[in-house]
Amino acid sequence: MYPHFPHEIPLTAKEFFTRLRVRIRFLWRRVLPPPDRERRAEVQLQLREASEPDFDYFVLVLLSCTIATFGLLIDSAATIIGAMLVAPLMSPILGLGLASIRGDTTLLRDAAIALFRGAVFAVLLAIFITWTNARLPFISLQELPVEVLARTRPSPIDLGVAVAGGLAATFALVQPNLSAALPGVAIATALMPPLCTIGIGIALGDWEVATGATLLFITNAVTIAASAIALFFAMGFAPRRKEGDGLLPRSLLISAALTLLLLAPLGYQSYQLVQQAQRSQLINEVVRQEIGKIEDVELVSVNSVENDGILEIEITVRTVQALNYDDSVALREAIDVQLQQPVELSINQVFAARLDPRVPPSQTPTAILSVTPTVTGTSTPTPTRTSTPTASATATYTATPAYLELTNAFGQEGVYLRQSPEGPSIAFLFVGSQLRQLAGMEIVNGWVWIEVMDGLGRIGWIPQFYTSLVTLTPTTAP
C-alpha cells in the first residue's frame, strides 16, 4: 500500500528528506522491480571473478589490443569492432561501480588493479606493434589513419555515449535475460581502441594524439563507473541505509562530481574544434571565391595552417593555361584583404587540356622532304652509278604537331623521358631538345602526356605542357 504521511505535524528537514527518499524508492520499485537476493548475489560473484587479473584476463587483453592496434593502423573499422568484442575491460569498471556502492574494499582493490594493469599492458603492446610496423614496408604511417584521429578529439557527445553505455551494461548484467546485449554495449563504449591510440601516439612521438586518447579513455572509464554506481543503487544493490545517512550515498556523489568535472576539458576541446572548423570553412570559401574570378582555372584542394600569426595556404588548381607570377601576387593580395590577416600563398598547378568530342582536332600541314635517286648505266665494263637528286615537297596532314621543342621546365635543366605516363624514366631531356611527336596521347591525373621520339631515336612519354610547337619550312636540298 502506498505510504501515507500526515501533513498536520511540521516536519524537520531531516524528516522531510527521509520520507522523500522512501517515496522515491517506493515509486522506483513500482516502475522497475529490483532483482531478488539470489540474483544480486550472482551478479556480485560474477563481477568478483571477472575483476581478478588472472591469466585469462591478460590473454584477452593481449588479443584484443593486437586486433585493435592493427585495425587502427590499417584504418579498418570492422577490425576495430572485432577487438571491442574481445576486450575484457568492461568488467573491472563495473566491478568498481559495484564495490563503490557496497563499500567492498576487496572488490574495489581487485577491480582497480585489473583495470590499471590491463590498461598499461595494452599501451605498451600498442607501442611495440606500432614501432615494429613503422620499420616494415607494409604500412605507411606518414599520415595518421582516420580511425586514429577520430579517437584524439573527445567531446561531450562521447561522455553522453559513455553514460548510456554504462547504464546499458549494468542493466544487461543484472537482468539475466538481457546478457545478449552486452556485446553491443562493448562496441558502443570502445575502451580498448583509445588505449591502443595512446600507444600509437607515443610510438610516433605525437603527444597530441596520446593526450587526446588518454582524455577519451578516462572519460569512458569514469563515466561508465558513475553510471554503474547510479544504476546499482537504484536497483537495490546498496546496503541497508543507516539512520542519519544522506539522500544519496557518498560514492555516488563523488562519481557524479568527477563526471561533471570531465565536462570542462571536453567542452573546451569541442569549442576549439568548432572554432577551427569555422575558420577552415571561411578560408575555403574565400579561396574558392577568388579562384572563381580567374578564367579557365578550377580549384582542386585547399590546405591551411597558421604559424606565428601568419596563415600559410597551399592550394592546388587545375588550369588550361599556366598562371604567372603576377597572377599569384594578385591572388595572395585578394585573399589577404578578405581574411584581414597576413597570408603566405603557394600554388600547385595541374595543367589540363580541354577536349570536346563534338569538335575534331585541327589539322596541321607537315612538310616532308624526300630525295629520289636515279641510276644511269654506261656501256663500259665498269658500271658507274650517278645519283641525281630530285627534290619534292609532299604535304600530309596529321592531327597533332610533328616536331616539338622542350621549352617549359620552370627553371630546371629539363625533364625526364618516361617509359609510360608517370612511369619509370628512360632518359633526361635538356631544355632545347628537338623532339618528334608520335601518335600516342593520354590524360593521366589531369596532365596531357604525349608520345615522342628524341634525336637519338629513344621513344617515350613527356607532359605536353613542357613542349612548344616548332614550325618547319620545307626547303629543297640535293
Side-chain angles (χ1 to χ4, degrees):
M1 183 176 179
Y2 189 83
H4 176 69
F5 301 103
H7 297 283
E8 292 79 6
I9 303 176
L11 300 177
T12 62
K14 179 179 179 180
E15 293 174 340
F16 174 77
F17 284 111
T18 301
R19 296 185 177 183
L20 178 62
R21 184 180 62 191
V22 173
R23 287 194 176 191
I24 293 175
R25 181 179 300 177
F26 177 81
L27 293 175
W28 177 255
R29 290 183 177 179
R30 292 290 298 271
V31 175
L32 181 65
D36 54 18
R37 181 175 299 179
E38 295 181 357
R39 181 57 189 168
R40 291 198 297 268
E42 291 177 1
V43 171
Q44 296 179 42
L45 180 61
Q46 181 179 353
L47 284 181
R48 188 179 298 276
E49 294 177 352
S51 299
E52 293 180 357
D54 54 5
F55 177 77
D56 296 339
Y57 174 80
F58 285 106
V59 169
L60 291 178
V61 171
L62 171 67
L63 298 177
S64 62
C65 178
T66 303
I67 298 172
T69 304
F70 281 118
L72 291 169
L73 292 179
I74 64 177
D75 205 10
S76 173
T79 306
I80 299 173
I81 292 175
M84 298 176 193
L85 297 175
V86 184
L89 298 178
M90 178 67 75
S91 297
I93 296 178
L94 297 180
L96 288 175
L98 181 62
S100 299
I101 199 66
R102 292 194 58 82
D104 191 338
T105 56
T106 302
L107 178 58
L108 182 66
R109 183 187 67 249
D110 293 342
I113 292 176
L115 181 61
F116 177 77
R117 290 181 178 178
V120 173
F121 180 60
V123 171
L124 294 178
L125 182 59
I127 293 175
F128 174 76
I129 294 175
T130 306
W131 183 84
T132 303
N133 281 273
R135 284 152 181 79
L136 296 176
F138 306 112
I139 300 175
S140 176
L141 297 178
Q142 295 180 355
E143 294 183 1
L144 290 176
V146 177
E147 292 292 339
V148 174
L149 295 177
R151 289 162 176 82
T152 59
R153 298 173 180 177
S155 65
I157 296 178
D158 296 298
L159 188 142
V161 172
V163 169
L167 293 175
T170 306
F171 187 73
L173 180 67
V174 173
Q175 301 294 334
N177 57 336
L178 297 179
S179 59
L182 286 176
V185 176
I187 295 174
T189 50
L191 293 169
M192 183 58 70
L195 290 175
C196 299
T197 305
I198 296 173
I200 292 174
I202 295 175
L204 299 179
D206 195 333
W207 298 106
E208 184 178 357
V209 171
T211 304
T214 302
L215 179 59
L216 177 59
F217 175 75
I218 294 176
T219 299
N220 289 342
V222 172
T223 309
I224 291 172
S227 302
I229 293 174
L231 195 56
F232 278 134
F233 171 73
M235 300 190 73
F237 280 82
R240 185 178 297 276
R241 308 286 291 170
K242 298 179 181 179
E243 190 69 24
D245 290 342
L247 182 62
L248 297 175
R250 184 178 180 183
S251 60
L252 181 58
L253 296 177
I254 294 175
S255 61
L258 291 177
T259 303
L260 294 177
L261 187 62
L262 287 172
L263 284 175
L266 294 178
Y268 176 72
Q269 190 163 0
S270 299
Y271 173 77
Q272 284 186 326
L273 290 177
V274 171
Q275 292 293 105
Q276 183 179 356
Q278 292 178 348
R279 180 65 173 171
S280 299
Q281 184 178 3
L282 176 61
I283 294 172
N284 293 343
E285 184 64 27
V286 170
V287 172
R288 185 177 294 105
Q289 179 181 355
E290 296 300 328
I291 290 294
K293 299 177 181 179
I294 305 176
E295 188 177 359
D296 293 333
V297 177
E298 179 184 356
L299 180 63
V300 178
S301 64
V302 180
N303 295 320
S304 61
V305 61
E306 192 165 355
N307 189 9
D308 296 333
I310 299 177
L311 183 61
E312 300 177 359
I313 302 178
E314 180 182 1
I315 64 176
T316 302
V317 297
R318 185 179 292 112
T319 176
V320 176
Q321 186 175 0
L323 301 178
N324 54 32
Y325 174 76
D326 295 334
D327 295 331
S328 65
V329 172
L331 182 60
R332 180 185 62 80
E333 292 177 352
I335 296 175
D336 195 345
V337 172
Q338 290 282 348
L339 297 178
Q340 298 181 356
Q341 183 180 0
V343 174
E344 292 292 340
L345 180 66
S346 60
I347 305 175
N348 301 320
Q349 301 185 70
V350 178
F351 183 76
R354 194 178 301 278
L355 302 177
D356 191 347
R358 298 170 298 178
V359 180
S362 58
Q363 295 179 339
T364 304
T366 303
I368 300 177
L369 184 64
S370 61
V371 179
T372 305
T374 61
V375 180
T376 304
T378 63
S379 59
T380 57
T382 303
T384 59
R385 183 173 179 175
T386 304
S387 175
T388 304
T390 302
S392 64
T394 304
T396 61
Y397 292 89
T398 58
T400 55
Y403 295 98
L404 306 173
E405 181 180 355
L406 188 62
T407 55
N408 302 322
F410 293 104
Q412 300 179 4
E413 295 182 355
V415 297
Y416 283 99
L417 180 68
R418 299 188 178 275
Q419 183 178 355
S420 60
E422 296 188 354
S425 59
I426 300 175
F428 187 81
L429 303 178
F430 291 93
V431 173
S433 299
Q434 301 293 323
L435 306 171
R436 178 165 182 172
Q437 183 174 352
L438 303 180
M441 176 181 290
E442 293 184 13
I443 299 178
V444 179
N445 294 331
W447 286 81
V448 179
W449 290 79
I450 56 176
E451 187 179 17
V452 298
M453 181 174 63
D454 66 352
L456 299 178
R458 295 174 295 192
I459 299 177
W461 296 75
I462 62 172
Q464 188 184 32
F465 178 70
Y466 295 116
T467 63
S468 298
L469 175 63
V470 175
T471 303
L472 297 181
T473 302
T475 60
T476 303

